Each structure stands twice: as structure tokens, then as C-alpha cells.
Amino acid sequence: MCTMKRTKSSVIPASVVRRLTEYLAFTQTFGNENGDQWVSSQELAQALGLTSSTVRQDLSHIDFSGISKRGYHVRGLLGVLEDTLGANTIWKVIVVGAGNLGVAIAQNDEFRERGFNIIGVFDKDDAKVGRQVGTLKVQNSSAIKEFVSEQGVDIGIVAVPPGAAQTVADVLIASGVHGILNLSLSHIITPENVPVIEARLTCSLLELSHRIKFAKTAKRSVPRE
Amino acid sequence: MCTMKRTKSSVIPASVVRRLTEYLAFTQTFGNENGDQWVSSQELAQALGLTSSTVRQDLSHIDFSGISKRGYHVRGLLGVLEDTLGANTIWKVIVVGAGNLGVAIAQNDEFRERGFNIIGVFDKDDAKVGRQVGTLKVQNSSAIKEFVSEQGVDIGIVAVPPGAAQTVADVLIASGVHGILNLSLSHIITPENVPVIEARLTCSLLELSHRIKFAKTAKRSVPRE
DNA sequence: TAGATTGTTAATCGATTAACAATC
DNA sequence: TAGATTGTTAATCGATTAACAATC
């Protein structure tokens, strides 16, 4: 199913990778909805609020060619995007922090369906340890290290209160995870070989809050073609 | 409590606003932890993986001055950041989509504590309508418009399946919300006067997945001073 | 063939960093 | 005073957009 193509140039800029995830999401629904074989840079741009130029630049980073006058073959594009983003890889994931958010993440089937297989939930609060979360039981945070190395956990999701985030991240890194998704309010610093993605809802809400407050003076950055 | 200062230049770039939210988060815990009166651009930079130059540039966008040899007064900085980000404003928020994620968001006390007051949860699935979510009952999506205009809802959080996201957004916009937080997989297009922030966990996980897969060739972008 | 759309180069724009005078 | 740290200007770097030859 997944051809062993590699990306053309070795490093794809983060800004481009972020948009690749959007192209993937769009292409997936696009294919389903109207069985179209082809999608143009123009169409992609319009759907995602970009210029067609940006789309073509972005897609030039992956090892896949469009065809003049037609555009990009939808299923082919889908396949290459999946390869590039690791969307067809099964990852072993644990969640640290069994608060509201952590529990919700752990129970969310969507992640599993997309290959992010949550196989453990941890909390340092004894009152939460042992609780059932979907098919899993909350384990004590002291067990993280052993669990990660025994199970070969790839990704740690950090969903703890701000003060504890860096400490938890340090444990995860020492335990051997390959990447971290940070949902906690405070920034996490990791060594070069452990990428971290910050996905903090409160920060996003504050950004929105600012934009609303100063909406009159703000200019949008979404071009229409 | 909130001095009526305004930002210096009318528009703060989105990249800067995003970091302001991080400065805020850091400053809040920094103040609490070690009662320090002053924080330098150097310290902020180190904590957040930036250069001190970036920090000073960023802070030059807000109407607040540091003092040579000492840095920035922590409480003062905190106040101005809160003003700029609207962190001391109470917003009325509704959640559309009562799936796992939507329900988790609605029940998460942290948002309420930070001024994002969730006063309604909606779903178009009759099976979910009427269910209790914390102190709220899930309402039918058909009631969104009336609810938004009557209650003066400011922010709509979209947590529905990808196909439905734009439709839901359109209803929210027509109903008069001032901003949208999009948690659904697909991109949302809004008119200029309704800012939208994309906060999609699956996209973040895919970004992480890519970075892990191609870690050897990737360069980190977090400078150390 | 003629027209549309790609891939790519060059131009523009914006964001980050370096450097340093001002100042506490 | 001497030294440290700000605020700001200028330089660099990277990302986006425009333009157009190649091509299907």
C-alpha cells in the first residue's frame, strides 16, 4: 500500500509540514465526497485560504508530480502525503495527566483510527490511579519509565498542570519516547532528537481573544484568489 | 485592576501574539514560584527557547517598558500581557459537537477559570441532545442561532467531524459570534471580521509523526543562547 | 492546435537576529 | 563610576507571492 518513496529534499520546513497536514485532511474528504480523480493547486488553495503558488511550492517538497492541465491525481497525492506525514504508521502513545483533557484524549477513538494508538494513561495523583479510562486503567506516573521502554512507546502526550510539564517531559525523554505533544499551558524544552509540538488550547483561545478584542485594527492573512 | 492601556502600534503580527501567550503563561508561574520582582529578556528567552533579541522585539509591540540592568517588572508585565491578550475579559463561549472532544472541552474547568465561560453545548445528533455535560445539557444544533443572539455568545468552538465543520462555522458566523476556535480536522474559511484559530490535534500529531519519522535529517529550530 | 496548469526561478515581503547607543 | 540590560536600527534569513517557460 505505501510505496517506499522518500521526500525529495531532506528537510521540509515546519511551515510547509503544517500545510501538508491540511492538504491531507482536505484530500481525504475531497476524494470521498465527489470521487474526483484530479485536484488543482487552484482548488486546494481556495479550500484552504492560500495562493495556488504556495500550494505548488509546498508540493514541490514532496516526491510527487502533478500534470499540466489536469492537476494532481487525488489518490496518488493522498498516498504520498500519508507517507510523508507518517499517516499510515501505527504509533504507540501514552497520555500523562488524567485530568479532564487527558482522559478525553485517551478516550477519543479518532486518534486510534488515525494510527495514534493510546496504550497507557498516567497520573501522579493516587486518587486517580486505578480509574478506568475507556479500556485502560490509569497508572501511577512512577511507572512511566518502565512502561515506555518495555512497550516501546513512541509518543508522549503531556496533559498536566503547567508547573509539572517540563518535569514530565524530562521523564518521558529519559524513558526514550521519540516525540512529545504538549497540551499543557507551559512551554517544554527538549533535546534536538526529541521533537515537541505545542498544542495548547488556552494559548489558542488567548490568541483568539486578542484578535477579537482588536478586530477593527487587525488585517486578515487569508488571501482569496 | 486592568489599566486601560492600549497596544502601541495597532497591529501585532500573529507570530508575536502567539509568543505573547507564552510569555503570559511563563510570567504567571514565574511570579508565583519564586516571588521575583524582575525578569530579563535573557531569562524569558531561555525558558521559551528563543533569543533575547526576539523577546525584546516582541515586547516592544506592547505598551510597557523594561528598565536597564534590571529587566521587566513581573507584575507590570503580567498586567499588560493580560490586557493585550484579553486574558482578563470574560468571554461567552459555546461548543458545537458533543463527541468525546467537545464534551471534554465543555467540562474542562480550566477554560472557565481563564475567562472562557462555556455556556452551551450543541449537537445535531438527537441521541446526544439532552445529555448532561457538567452543568449543561446538550442542545439541538438547530437552536444555535437563537441562543447565540439571545445570550450574546462571543466565541464558538467547533468540534464536529471534518465534513460538517464549514457548515457549522457558517451557522455560527450568521448567528453573530465574534471568533471561532476550530478543533475539527478540516480548515474553516471565515469573513475578515470573524477571526478563526485552528487548533487541530490530529494535525499536530501528524506534524509530530513527520518530525519523528525524518528526525535524522531534520534540524531543530530552538536556539540556545 | 490552443489553452490550462504545472514546476521553478526571481522578486517581494515579513520575521528573526545581530549590534550597539542609550540608560539605569 | 562601571557594567548590565534595555529599545531600536540595520542586516540577515526564510517564507510567500508573482511571473513565466515548459508541457500535457
Side-chain angles (χ1 to χ4, degrees):
Chain A
M1 170 150 288
C2 108
T3 45
M4 266 323 242
K5 280 175 196 161
R6 256 312 317 277
T7 53
K8 256 195 223 165
S9 62
S10 37
V11 183
I12 304 178
S15 55
V16 176
V17 173
R18 212 159 301 135
R19 283 193 299 269
L20 292 184
T21 65
E22 307 206 359
Y23 300 145
L24 176 61
F26 178 76
T27 312
Q28 283 171 333
T29 55
F30 186 82
N32 295 345
E33 273 171 19
N34 44 16
D36 275 359
Q37 297 258 0
W38 302 90
V39 62
S40 69
S41 59
Q42 180 74 242
E43 286 172 294
L44 279 163
Q46 194 143 43
L48 304 179
L50 305 167
T51 65
S52 67
S53 198
T54 299
V55 173
R56 290 198 302 279
Q57 274 284 18
D58 288 349
L59 296 186
S60 78
H61 283 95
I62 62 177
D63 190 14
F64 182 73
S65 291
I67 292 178
S68 295
K69 226 192 144 177
R70 290 207 254 181
Y72 303 89
H73 185 68
V74 173
R75 285 190 56 82
L77 179 58
L78 203 54
V80 182
L81 285 173
E82 281 173 350
D83 282 358
T84 306
L85 296 171
N88 42 23
T89 308
I90 308 285
W91 301 100
K92 291 187 179 174
V93 182
I94 62 171
V95 175
V96 185
N100 273 310
L101 199 59
V103 167
I105 300 286
Q107 290 184 323
N108 201 144
D109 295 330
E110 200 200 317
F111 300 126
R112 182 148 328 190
E113 285 160 16
R114 296 191 172 270
F116 298 96
N117 216 338
I118 296 170
I119 60 172
V121 185
F122 297 83
D123 201 293
K124 71 170 186 181
D125 179 2
D126 282 332
K128 283 177 186 152
V129 172
R131 280 193 198 165
Q132 197 73 26
V133 174
T135 60
L136 304 169
K137 265 206 172 74
V138 177
Q139 301 178 58
N140 194 296
S141 290
S142 59
I144 291 176
K145 189 155 190 177
E146 201 184 332
F147 190 88
V148 168
S149 55
E150 274 184 8
Q151 304 282 324
V153 172
D154 301 293
I155 293 172
I157 298 182
V158 177
V160 299
Q166 184 66 54
T167 311
V168 166
D170 291 340
V171 170
L172 288 168
I173 294 161
S175 309
V177 299
H178 303 120
I180 290 175
L181 183 75
N182 181 25
L183 301 174
S184 98
L185 188 55
S186 53
H187 190 90
I188 283 177
I189 302 267
T190 63
E192 290 209 1
N193 60 335
V194 182
V196 56
I197 301 285
E198 310 277 354
R200 290 166 287 163
L201 295 180
T202 307
C203 289
S204 299
L205 279 169
L206 285 173
E207 216 183 314
L208 184 59
S209 157
H210 167 83
R211 299 261 299 267
I212 292 174
K213 232 181 139 181
F214 302 120
K216 280 117 211 161
T217 53
K219 268 225 317 269
R220 277 299 293 298
S221 58
V222 177
R224 301 276 152 64
E225 279 194 15
Chain B
M1 169 150 291
C2 109
T3 45
M4 267 320 243
K5 281 176 195 161
R6 256 313 317 276
T7 51
K8 255 195 223 164
S9 61
S10 37
V11 183
I12 304 178
S15 56
V16 176
V17 173
R18 213 160 300 137
R19 284 194 297 269
L20 292 184
T21 65
E22 306 206 359
Y23 300 146
L24 176 61
F26 177 77
T27 312
Q28 282 170 335
T29 55
F30 186 82
N32 296 343
E33 273 172 20
N34 44 15
D36 276 359
Q37 298 259 358
W38 302 90
V39 62
S40 69
S41 59
Q42 180 73 242
E43 287 172 294
L44 279 164
Q46 193 142 46
L48 303 179
L50 305 167
T51 65
S52 65
S53 199
T54 300
V55 174
R56 290 198 300 281
Q57 275 283 18
D58 287 350
L59 297 186
S60 78
H61 284 94
I62 61 177
D63 189 14
F64 181 71
S65 292
I67 292 179
S68 296
K69 226 192 144 178
R70 291 207 252 182
Y72 303 89
H73 185 68
V74 173
R75 286 189 57 82
L77 179 59
L78 203 55
V80 182
L81 285 172
E82 282 173 349
D83 282 359
T84 306
L85 296 171
N88 42 22
T89 307
I90 308 286
W91 300 99
K92 290 188 179 173
V93 183
I94 63 171
V95 175
V96 184
N100 274 310
L101 198 59
V103 168
I105 299 286
Q107 289 183 324
N108 201 143
D109 294 331
E110 199 199 317
F111 299 126
R112 181 147 328 188
E113 285 159 17
R114 295 190 172 271
F116 298 96
N117 216 339
I118 296 170
I119 60 172
V121 184
F122 297 83
D123 202 293
K124 72 170 185 181
D125 178 3
D126 282 332
K128 284 178 185 151
V129 173
R131 279 194 198 164
Q132 198 72 28
V133 174
T135 60
L136 304 168
K137 266 206 173 71
V138 178
Q139 300 178 60
N140 194 297
S141 290
S142 59
I144 290 176
K145 188 155 192 176
E146 200 184 332
F147 190 87
V148 168
S149 56
E150 273 183 8
Q151 303 282 324
V153 172
D154 301 292
I155 294 172
I157 298 182
V158 176
V160 299
Q166 184 67 54
T167 311
V168 165
D170 291 341
V171 171
L172 287 168
I173 294 161
S175 309
V177 300
H178 303 119
I180 289 175
L181 182 75
N182 181 25
L183 301 174
S184 100
L185 188 56
S186 53
H187 189 90
I188 284 176
I189 303 267
T190 63
E192 289 210 0
N193 60 337
V194 183
V196 56
I197 301 286
E198 310 277 355
R200 290 165 287 162
L201 294 180
T202 307
C203 288
S204 298
L205 278 170
L206 284 173
E207 217 183 314
L208 184 60
S209 157
H210 167 83
R211 298 261 301 267
I212 292 175
K213 232 181 139 180
F214 301 120
K216 280 118 211 161
T217 52
K219 269 227 316 271
R220 278 299 294 298
S221 58
V222 178
R224 300 275 152 65
E225 277 194 16

